[in-house]
Amino acid sequence: MSEFKILAISGSLRADSHNTALLRAARKHQPGGLDIDIYDGLREIPPYDQDLDNPQDRPAAVAELRRRITEADGLLIATPEFNYSVPGTLKNAIDWVSTDWTRQEGLPLLRKPIAILGAAPTNFGTVRAQLALRQVFVWTDSDIVVKPEVQVFRSHERFDADGNLTDETTVSLVQDLLGALKTKIEAAAR
């Protein structure tokens, strides 16, 4: 059985981010058939500039992200919530990969299967960020996993001091989400 390539992106730059830890947990507990690669270049993506958004002038970090998304069979995005929405660094990266003004390359997010999850220390954080991301991906015509929704509330109680996910219910939800993402990828491959 061949594995599907999943590019996992954390919307948090923080070293001890529970969202990044959630992606590591997804890689560890995945149900099989997925090769999950965690992207660590979000910090390198410059502010979006339409004057540079073409194949000749695009910054190298942006070109690399576009390539990796294009080559992936699906995306897994873990997002915290900042000011009731998506962190600016994550939205900025999505802006860079959502366009093809020259019509030379194609759209990396077009019909791309995407699963969203998130962790927060509060009882409600990540919910609005996930909703905002879903709206963005309507515009890009991406294939979003609708259910299950995975919002890891009170995340500090679900990870140990080393950043390992210890809550079995959350592990099960993450596995269910990855199973749904795999099903979308398989359907797209037919």
Side-chain angles (χ1 to χ4, degrees):
M1 170 174 88
S2 65
E3 290 190 321
F4 293 112
K5 290 173 57 176
I6 305 300
L7 184 62
I9 301 171
S10 173
S12 177
L13 301 179
R14 202 168 60 80
D16 294 330
S17 164
H18 286 156
N19 284 281
T20 304
L22 199 52
L23 296 179
R24 288 192 303 271
R27 185 172 53 199
K28 177 180 178 181
H29 298 290
Q30 61 105 350
L34 302 176
D35 176 16
I36 299 175
D37 180 28
I38 299 175
Y39 176 72
D40 63 359
L42 194 61
R43 185 182 304 278
E44 314 312 316
I45 305 292
Y48 180 77
D49 182 343
Q50 190 174 353
D51 288 340
L52 301 177
D53 192 6
N54 63 72
Q56 298 76 31
D57 298 321
R58 215 172 263 132
V62 172
E64 174 69 6
L65 177 59
R66 288 176 68 94
R67 180 190 65 76
R68 289 177 70 182
I69 289 174
T70 299
E71 291 176 357
D73 296 303
L75 297 179
L76 177 64
I77 298 176
T79 185
E81 183 174 304
F82 290 176
N83 298 320
Y84 281 22
S85 193
V86 182
T89 52
L90 178 58
K91 176 62 168 63
N92 178 63
I94 293 168
D95 289 345
W96 274 112
V97 299
S98 67
T99 59
D100 181 17
W101 302 108
T102 62
R103 298 177 192 236
Q104 296 175 5
E105 306 171 294
L107 298 165
L109 296 172
L110 181 64
R111 304 304 307 146
K112 182 70 65 176
I114 301 173
I116 302 169
L117 70 169
T122 63
N123 287 330
F124 204 68
T126 192
V127 172
R128 290 170 291 243
Q130 289 188 38
L131 180 60
L133 268 182
R134 291 174 194 280
Q135 291 172 321
V136 169
F137 291 132
V138 168
W139 170 253
T140 61
D141 199 14
S142 302
D143 192 8
I144 299 298
V145 172
V146 178
K147 290 188 180 182
E149 293 183 61
V150 179
Q151 295 122 8
V152 183
F153 63 93
R154 299 187 57 81
S155 59
H156 57 285
E157 296 174 358
R158 300 176 198 296
F159 291 88
D160 66 19
D162 295 323
N164 298 304
L165 182 60
T166 57
D167 182 71
E168 290 303 318
T169 300
T170 304
V171 169
S172 179
L173 285 169
V174 170
Q175 289 174 326
D176 290 348
L177 181 70
L178 292 171
L181 178 60
K182 184 178 176 185
T183 298
K184 281 200 175 286
I185 293 169
E186 288 169 339
R190 288 188 203 128

